[in-house]
């Protein structure tokens, strides 16, 4: 399974995701793309197999990913203080694989019906969802 982790700003969410994914899916190929070099470096240090920075890196990594995960802002053009470009948001929105979006109530967007949780709880839930996707994928291949 190829998991693409996307993050912006300081890469803290991506870092937490990668560390948690490594524990439950050690065989997964984890690709990290940061919208800036700081985010990319944080995710690489957390254990990503590959890492790159910027819009084109997102577009290229989406070609081979099975799952993309990150804060909900990755599908909102100009989110995260403008770090998510319209082409990035469009490509992620049109991605044919599975998207796991972490519902942070930020980017001036409010997600109705979503319970406020701390970052650790949100990351844990996202990892559980990806683990379920990985198990479904393995069952289909057998």
């Amino acid at each position: 399974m190829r998991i693409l982790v996307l993050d912006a700003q300081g890469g803290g969410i991506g870092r937490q995701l990668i560390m948690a994914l490594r524990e439950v899916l050690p065989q997964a190929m984890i690709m990290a793309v940061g919208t800036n070099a700081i985010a990319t470096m944080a995710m690489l240090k957390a254990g990503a197999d590959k890492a790159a920075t910027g819009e084109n890196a997102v577009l290229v990594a989406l070609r081979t990913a099975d799952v993309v995960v990150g804060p909900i802002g990755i599908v909102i053009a100009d989110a995260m203080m403008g770090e998510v470009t319209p082409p990035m948001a469009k490509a992620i929105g049109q991605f044919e694989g599975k998207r796991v979006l972490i519902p942070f109530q930020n980017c001036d967007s409010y997600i109705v019906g979503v319970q406020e949780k701390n970052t650790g709880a949100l990351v844990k839930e996202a990892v559980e969802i990806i683990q379920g996707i990985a198990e479904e994928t393995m069952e289909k291949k057998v």
Side-chain angles (χ1 to χ4, degrees), residues 1-6 17 21 25 28-33 58 61-70 74 91-92 95-102 125-138:
M1 166 165 269
R2 296 173 68 87
I3 302 167
L4 173 57
V5 180
L6 298 176
L17 281 165
L21 286 165
L25 297 169
M29 164 63 76
I30 300 178
M31 303 176 290
V33 176
V58 171
L62 284 170
R63 294 179 196 157
T64 59
D66 298 304
V67 176
V68 62
V69 59
I74 64 174
I92 296 162
F95 176 61
E96 292 185 15
K98 305 282 186 185
R99 286 176 295 280
V100 178
L101 304 172
I102 301 175
E125 192 171 331
V127 169
E128 289 170 356
I129 290 169
I130 294 169
Q131 189 174 16
I133 292 168
E135 290 169 2
E136 287 176 18
T137 302
M138 293 305 288

Side-chain angles (χ1 to χ4, degrees), residues 54-135:
E55 179 182 293
N56 196 57
V58 171
L59 303 178
V60 171
L62 284 170
R63 294 179 196 157
T64 59
D66 298 304
V67 176
V68 62
V69 59
I72 189 105
I74 64 174
V75 294
I76 301 172
D78 297 328
M80 300 180 183
M81 299 187 69
E83 291 187 30
V84 177
T85 67
M88 289 166 76
K90 180 180 178 183
I92 296 162
Q94 293 177 338
F95 176 61
E96 292 185 15
K98 305 282 186 185
R99 286 176 295 280
V100 178
L101 304 172
I102 301 175
F104 289 102
Q105 306 282 3
N106 58 9
C107 303
D108 295 323
S109 299
Y110 300 91
I111 305 149
V112 176
V114 173
Q115 182 181 9
E116 290 273 343
K117 295 180 182 177
N118 67 35
T119 302
L122 290 169
V123 167
K124 182 179 182 219
E125 192 171 331
V127 169
E128 289 170 356
I129 290 169
I130 294 169
Q131 189 174 16
I133 292 168
E135 290 169 2

